Amino acid sequence: MSNSNDFNREEVNQLIQSIYKMLADSKFPGKVKDKIARELEVLKGFTIDARPARIAIVGRRGAGKSSLINAIFSERRAEIGDVKARTGAGKWHTYTSASGDLEILDTRGLGEGDTPEEAVSRETAIEEVKASIQEKCPDAILFLSKAKEVSARIDEDLQQLLELKTSIKMQHDFDVPIIGVVTQVDELSPKSSDKPPFDHPVKQKNIREAADVLSEKLKQAVAAPVNVLPVSSYMEFDGEEIVYDIRWNIDKLLDYMLDKLPNEAQMILAKLSKIKSVQKKIARRIGKSTAGVTGVIGGSPIPLADLPVITGLQMTMISAIAMIGGTKLNKKGVIDFLGALGLNVAAGFALRQAARQLLKVIPVAGNVISGAIATAGTYALAEAAIAYFIDGKSLDDVKETYDDVFEEEKEAK
């Protein structure tokens, strides 16, 4: 199965539209139809409506904005200004990679003492940023502060941050989440502890203190608790190859960011990060949600009416997980994947048949068991898709994963 940055949106769109049509023609109760429709909107957000995340990165010159962008991509995507301020007029940049794009509002460093190398369009950094948000609304703001400078003139910076947050609220009616990021923790004492996980007790104490200071300052500035994460983003490149890498907590930062982003911005960010734990979190979120709604359908008393809808939802779920893992998967690819697991394309049918076998033993629990089987089978398919498209396991291992999870989930119901 081939990797591609171009998601197979058209086939996924056709699949989702076919589910909508089946739903409209079905005899499901209104509440069941509504629940399925809500789930389809969630799947649409992750797939058809997927777009690059829009992140405003704010911080003083030298806080590590460009380094953080590179750390998120695991590639050199932004140039790092070691001496002069590089970024000029606040504007949106689309950072592109084979795995996906990220839109960054890369700003002039707050409190710069010299003129950036690039042209500027406004007198102050904050004015440039405020002009840029008229064009697009950020999904989140990352406020960066060097670990050694969390108290250095930070009140001025936080006042500008509050101005930006207020402007976004006024222009877009959106209470944008702010995430504090303490950068360059590798520079804290003792310097001898210079490799992740920086587990020297004194270093960890210094990291915690820097994060606590920034957290308290942010809380005072925006009148609400703000989560603060300490990170190291430092990498060195030889051409495009990473030759030195002391990144730390970037996975936790991305994991937290995903919780704050709208569904349509989550999938591409998880994909481009190339961090499996981040990708799996989104994949499991989709899997659990889909499994829940297929369980509701499976528990419906309407004979066999659920089968095409369950199958359609499962196929869409598998396509979404493949996308997160970086694989373009068409309808035939999904069918081939199901076949490799020993399931026909109507996986829902196989799950319903399993429920009917159980009815011979416990006939009074028909609909409940049927729903439980549908839930267990769908979640097992999600875990199998994660094992294959994200973990890169062999089909034999993937089939074993499917069988094990199916049995575990059935027993838990």
Side-chain angles (χ1 to χ4, degrees), residues 372-394:
I373 292 293
T375 300
T378 301
Y379 189 70
L381 281 175
E383 287 295 327
I386 290 168
Y388 188 59
F389 296 109
I390 296 177
D391 285 331
K393 293 184 178 180
S394 70

Side-chain angles (χ1 to χ4, degrees), residues 38-346:
R38 287 195 298 271
E39 178 59 26
L40 284 172
E41 287 302 306
V42 172
L43 288 171
K44 273 183 80 255
F46 281 114
T47 54
I48 300 167
D49 299 333
R51 61 164 175 80
R54 296 192 292 260
I55 308 296
I57 298 184
V58 179
R60 191 172 296 272
R61 172 187 165 189
K65 296 189 291 288
S66 298
S67 295
L68 182 61
I69 293 168
N70 292 336
I72 289 172
F73 275 97
S74 299
E75 299 176 16
R76 189 187 345 234
R77 294 291 114 193
E79 291 299 323
I80 298 170
D82 290 324
V83 181
K84 278 182 64 68
R86 295 188 59 90
T87 308
K91 59 184 178 182
W92 289 100
H93 298 274
T94 299
Y95 292 89
T96 300
S97 76
S99 299
D101 300 342
L102 183 62
E103 292 187 9
I104 296 289
L105 179 57
D106 197 5
T107 67
R108 280 174 62 189
L110 301 178
E112 285 177 358
D114 57 6
T115 303
E117 293 177 354
E118 298 175 7
V120 298
S121 61
R122 298 291 190 282
E123 183 177 343
T124 66
I126 191 62
E127 287 175 354
E128 289 165 8
V129 178
K130 287 164 74 172
S132 297
I133 64 168
Q134 293 178 4
E135 178 187 352
K136 293 178 183 177
C137 179
D139 295 316
I141 299 174
L142 299 186
F143 182 83
L144 274 55
S145 180
K146 288 174 66 172
K148 287 185 173 182
E149 300 179 2
V150 289
S151 296
R153 291 181 59 197
I154 195 169
D155 292 339
E156 174 190 338
D157 300 346
L158 291 169
Q159 180 58 41
Q160 292 178 316
L161 174 67
L162 183 57
E163 283 184 53
L164 176 58
K165 179 178 173 66
T166 302
S167 295
I168 292 170
K169 178 66 174 176
M170 291 177 62
Q171 290 187 32
H172 300 284
D173 193 26
F174 175 53
D175 190 16
V176 62
I178 295 172
I179 303 167
V181 184
V182 178
T183 61
Q184 302 175 25
V185 299
D186 49 298
E187 294 292 329
L188 291 173
S189 298
K191 193 70 176 81
S192 58
S193 177
D194 61 351
K195 300 286 192 307
F198 308 119
D199 54 2
H200 191 286
V202 174
K203 186 127 184 169
Q204 283 296 318
K205 176 176 177 290
N206 289 334
I207 290 172
R208 286 194 301 272
E209 287 181 352
D212 288 345
V213 169
L214 184 58
S215 179
E216 184 59 31
K217 290 283 189 179
L218 283 167
K219 181 179 178 181
Q220 293 173 5
V222 300
V226 174
N227 200 47
V228 174
L229 293 166
V231 304
S232 171
S233 303
Y234 191 77
M235 297 183 292
E236 291 179 6
F237 296 87
D238 182 2
E240 297 303 317
E241 181 183 356
I242 300 172
V243 295
Y244 186 69
D245 186 352
I246 56 168
R247 283 176 294 172
W248 178 70
N249 264 8
I250 300 300
D251 55 342
K252 290 185 179 179
L253 174 61
L254 284 166
D255 192 64
Y256 185 75
M257 283 172 59
L258 288 171
D259 282 337
K260 300 298 180 181
L261 297 177
N263 288 347
E264 60 268 23
Q266 290 183 24
M267 191 264 284
I268 293 178
L269 182 60
K271 179 174 179 281
L272 69 83
S273 75
K274 303 176 187 175
I275 298 174
K276 289 183 179 180
S277 62
V278 173
Q279 295 177 337
K280 288 179 184 179
K281 179 173 184 176
I282 301 303
R284 289 195 171 109
R285 186 176 295 168
I286 295 171
K288 287 178 180 178
S289 182
T290 308
V293 76
T294 56
V296 172
I297 300 168
S300 166
I302 304 170
L304 301 181
D306 55 340
L307 302 183
V309 179
I310 284 182
T311 301
L313 285 165
Q314 289 170 339
M315 292 178 71
T316 306
M317 175 192 73
I318 292 167
S319 297
I321 294 172
M323 289 178 184
I324 293 168
T327 296
K328 179 180 178 180
L329 197 65
N330 58 21
K331 184 176 180 180
K332 182 180 183 303
V334 177
I335 294 171
D336 290 345
F337 175 72
L338 290 170
L341 297 182
L343 302 170
N344 59 34
V345 66

Side-chain angles (χ1 to χ4, degrees), residues 348-359 369 373 406 410:
F349 181 75
L351 301 175
R352 187 65 167 231
Q353 289 299 102
R356 285 176 172 169
Q357 292 301 313
L358 290 175
L359 288 181
I369 293 175
I373 292 293
F406 190 23
K410 277 197 303 181

